[in-house]
């Protein structure tokens, strides 16, 4: 038996324009759906919404009616109703084209409601079920447009990596000064330990004010790193530890950071410049470590369509739990990048920094030089980038320890030279909701005149990166 829907004649007349005497008309359900769909397509959202609402009274799970209401309600100034109808239609959808249609309408309703972050989230859901490449490209373009309009921008990054040195420990069993072994034994927990390291980095930014010439924003960030020692590392610690060595577990290598920031950027002649102020707290071994206040500034110069130079600088003051000055840090960096004709990009950066403090074995200066190369053409499914660098760190005054002499100052202080490099593989074609995997191979070696700081490390990091 064919199901029918009783429609008010006034509603039907909006569509037909005919005179009828009765106060209601019996219309088959399928025909009512067709009338509602045609009404919204022909620019008559009021009729479409009335029919859709009547259909939903008969069957709250009528997907076709939900789709019509999701499209019509925002046109009538009721975007929240449209968003809820679209979300319900998405839940009722069984095919990718149906889900794509519902997700797009829900995103549009959310955007009309002023909930731009939610709109961007629904567009990412639409991207996961886009029927064609053209649909996917359009959805990405729309999502980027929403991002530009949205005063809020948030990101989540996480990674995990197996490593032969998750704790940054030394490679030697005994300490040595300028190649000569001293009797100081290095505790197992300070030796290189294998395992897994994982990080999570949450950040959000709100645009307080913006014009075509400047932008001011407020930001917040939460970062955490945790370590899971391997069975081999735990067995090594148990085997090598003595009664004088501190107990070691995974929490000893955990760290966290919380940061609130204020930033202002402006257009300038041939580039941009900006200033930043950050206030935060850092934790180590699951306990409070220090608070910090950091001032930063940067200037970017666009030299040509292919080349640009940027200069950055920062000053940071740290305090311990007693609010006594702990240390002051400064850093200056210059970076140059050049885009080659084939799309390859070459970069070079030079930095210099230092730590000023009264704490023993901490005051130092460092300088580094790093080169990078990013291929313009993918190798197979991967976009590839390389980097290689060298860093020198000098501690003018440094004390070591031996059982024979106790603490003693090392002639000439401590000097470290570190060589490091990485290969970054990004797989944008294997994305989900606009997030794609990244695999990074990191390797480094540090040689020091103080043997306990000789280090080697290699890790393979797996992470997720947004494609837009």
């Amino acid at each position: 038996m064919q199901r029918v829907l009783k429609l008010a004649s006034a509603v039907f007349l909006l569509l037909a324009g005919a005179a009828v005497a009765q106060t209601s008309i019996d219309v088959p359900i399928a025909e009512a759906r067709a009338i509602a769909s045609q009404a919204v397509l022909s620019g008559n959202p009021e009729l479409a919404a009335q029919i859709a609402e009547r259909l939903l009274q008969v069957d709250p799970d009528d997907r076709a009616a939900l789709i019509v209401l999701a499209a019509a309600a925002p046109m009538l100034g009721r975007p929240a109703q449209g968003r809820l109808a679209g979300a319900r239609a998405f839940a009722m959808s069984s095919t990718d084209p149906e889900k794509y249609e519902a997700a797009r309408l829900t995103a549009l309703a959310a955007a009309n409601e002023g909930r731009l972050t939610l709109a961007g989230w629904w567009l990412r859901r639409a991207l996961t079920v886009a029927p064609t490449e053209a649909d996917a490209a359009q959805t990405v373009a729309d999502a980027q447009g929403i991002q530009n309009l949205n005063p809020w921008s948030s990101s989540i990054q996480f990674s995990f990596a197996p490593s032969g040195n998750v704790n940054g420990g030394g490679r030697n069993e005994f300490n040595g000064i300028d190649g000569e072994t001293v009797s100081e034994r290095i505790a197992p927990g300070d030796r290189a330990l294998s395992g897994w390291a994982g990080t999570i980095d949450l950040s959000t930014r709100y645009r307080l004010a913006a014009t075509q010439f400047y932008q001011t924003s407020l930001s917040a960030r939460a970062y955490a790193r945790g370590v899971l020692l391997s069975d081999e590392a735990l067995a090594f610690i148990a085997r090598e530890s003595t009664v004088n060595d501190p107990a070691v577990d995974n929490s000893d290598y955990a760290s966290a950071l919380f940061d609130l920031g204020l930033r202002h950027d402006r257009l300038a002649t041939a580039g941009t410049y900006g200033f930043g102020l950050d206030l935060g707290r850092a934790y180590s071994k699951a306990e409070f470590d220090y608070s910090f206040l950091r001032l930063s500034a940067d200037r970017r110069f666009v030299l040509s369509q292919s080349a640009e130079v940027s200069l950055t600088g920062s000053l940071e003051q740290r305090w311990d739990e007693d609010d006594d000055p702990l240390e002051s840090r400064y850093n200056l960096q210059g970076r140059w990048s050049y885009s080659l004709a084939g799309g390859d990009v070459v970069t070079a950066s030079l930095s210099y920094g230092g730590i000023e403090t009264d704490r023993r074995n901490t005051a130092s200066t460092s300088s580094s030089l790093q080169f990078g190369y990013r291929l313009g053409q993918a190798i197979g499914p991967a976009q590839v980038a390389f980097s290689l660098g060298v860093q020198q760190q000098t501690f003018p005054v440094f004390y070591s320890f031996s059982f024979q002499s106790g603490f003693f100052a090392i002639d000439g202080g401590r000097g470290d030279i570190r060589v490091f490099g990485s290969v970054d593989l990004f797989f944008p074609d294997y994305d989900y909701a606009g997030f794609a995997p990244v695999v990074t191979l990191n390797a480094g070696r540090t040689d020091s005149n103080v043997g306990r700081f000789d280090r080697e490390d290699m890790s393979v990091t797996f992470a997720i990166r947004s494609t837009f």
Side-chain angles (χ1 to χ4, degrees), residues 187-230:
D190 293 328
R191 300 274 301 279
L193 301 174
S194 62
W196 288 77
T199 66
I200 183 168
D201 194 345
L202 306 173
S203 63
T204 186
R205 184 180 300 273
Y206 183 75
R207 189 168 58 235
L208 297 173
T211 69
Q212 60 179 325
F213 301 109
Y214 71 84
Q215 175 174 295
T216 303
S217 58
L218 184 68
S219 65
R221 180 191 180 205
Y223 168 88
R225 180 182 187 269
V227 163
L228 182 63
L229 295 173
S230 67

Side-chain angles (χ1 to χ4, degrees), residues 448-467:
S448 174
N449 66 317
V450 182
R452 66 179 299 122
F453 299 102
D454 287 341
R455 296 188 176 99
E456 291 180 349
D457 53 89
M458 179 175 291
S459 65
V460 180
T461 302
F462 304 90
I464 300 295
R465 181 185 301 169
S466 177
T467 58

Side-chain angles (χ1 to χ4, degrees), residues 251-270:
S251 64
D252 290 300
Y253 307 109
S255 61
L257 181 144
F258 301 92
D259 181 310
L260 291 175
L262 180 67
R263 183 168 177 82
H264 182 78
D265 295 282
R266 299 190 71 95
L267 287 175
T269 303

Side-chain angles (χ1 to χ4, degrees), residues 351-416:
S351 66
Y352 179 82
I355 302 173
E356 296 182 356
T357 179
D358 293 332
R359 294 183 64 196
R360 176 180 288 182
N361 292 354
T362 303
S364 64
T365 60
S366 65
S367 58
S368 64
L369 176 64
Q370 185 172 356
F371 297 95
Y373 198 95
R374 186 176 73 245
L375 300 179
Q377 299 296 322
I379 298 179
Q383 295 180 0
V384 183
F386 307 90
S387 70
L388 182 65
V390 60
Q391 179 187 46
Q392 182 179 36
Q393 188 170 19
T394 301
F395 298 77
V397 179
F398 199 86
Y399 290 83
S400 188
F401 175 83
S402 71
F403 291 111
Q404 291 83 4
S405 305
F407 284 101
F408 63 94
I410 298 174
D411 292 339
R414 170 187 156 195
D416 299 353

Side-chain angles (χ1 to χ4, degrees), residues 116 131 179 183 251 405 440:
L116 298 179
S183 58
S251 64
S405 305
T440 304

Side-chain angles (χ1 to χ4, degrees), residues 149-417:
L149 293 173
N150 192 359
W152 282 106
S153 60
S154 301
S155 68
I156 176 172
Q157 302 179 39
F158 59 90
S159 67
F160 61 98
S163 172
N165 192 356
V166 293
N167 61 326
R171 65 175 185 260
N172 300 321
E173 181 179 359
F174 291 94
N175 192 21
I177 306 299
D178 295 323
E180 296 184 9
T181 301
V182 297
S183 58
E184 179 192 1
R185 171 181 167 274
I186 300 176
D190 293 328
R191 300 274 301 279
L193 301 174
S194 62
W196 288 77
T199 66
I200 183 168
D201 194 345
L202 306 173
S203 63
T204 186
R205 184 180 300 273
Y206 183 75
R207 189 168 58 235
L208 297 173
T211 69
Q212 60 179 325
F213 301 109
Y214 71 84
Q215 175 174 295
T216 303
S217 58
L218 184 68
S219 65
R221 180 191 180 205
Y223 168 88
R225 180 182 187 269
V227 163
L228 182 63
L229 295 173
S230 67
D231 291 340
E232 291 79 6
L234 293 173
F236 170 79
I237 294 172
R239 183 177 65 252
E240 299 294 327
S241 293
T242 67
V243 293
N244 296 320
D245 293 324
V248 175
D249 59 26
N250 293 320
S251 64
D252 290 300
Y253 307 109
S255 61
L257 181 144
F258 301 92
D259 181 310
L260 291 175
L262 180 67
R263 183 168 177 82
H264 182 78
D265 295 282
R266 299 190 71 95
L267 287 175
T269 303
T272 61
Y273 67 90
F275 305 94
L277 173 66
D278 291 89
L279 178 65
R281 291 169 67 90
Y283 295 80
S284 178
K285 300 181 181 180
E287 297 179 353
F288 171 73
D289 193 1
Y290 60 87
S291 299
F292 66 89
L293 176 67
R294 181 170 58 244
L295 299 173
S296 60
D298 60 80
R299 178 71 163 95
R300 183 174 68 95
F301 299 90
V302 179
L303 306 180
S304 67
Q305 291 184 342
S306 302
E308 67 176 54
V309 170
S310 62
L311 303 173
T312 62
S314 66
L315 294 172
E316 180 178 311
Q317 178 67 57
R318 295 184 177 183
W319 295 268
D320 63 15
E321 58 184 0
D322 297 321
D323 291 331
D324 296 326
L326 177 61
E327 61 189 46
S328 299
R329 297 186 174 218
Y330 60 90
N331 187 71
L332 299 171
Q333 183 184 67
R335 184 178 185 274
W336 168 83
S337 67
Y338 187 83
S339 299
L340 303 176
D344 295 1
V345 178
V346 59
T347 61
S349 63
L350 179 65
S351 66
Y352 179 82
I355 302 173
E356 296 182 356
T357 179
D358 293 332
R359 294 183 64 196
R360 176 180 288 182
N361 292 354
T362 303
S364 64
T365 60
S366 65
S367 58
S368 64
L369 176 64
Q370 185 172 356
F371 297 95
Y373 198 95
R374 186 176 73 245
L375 300 179
Q377 299 296 322
I379 298 179
Q383 295 180 0
V384 183
F386 307 90
S387 70
L388 182 65
V390 60
Q391 179 187 46
Q392 182 179 36
Q393 188 170 19
T394 301
F395 298 77
V397 179
F398 199 86
Y399 290 83
S400 188
F401 175 83
S402 71
F403 291 111
Q404 291 83 4
S405 305
F407 284 101
F408 63 94
I410 298 174
D411 292 339
R414 170 187 156 195
D416 299 353
I417 295 180

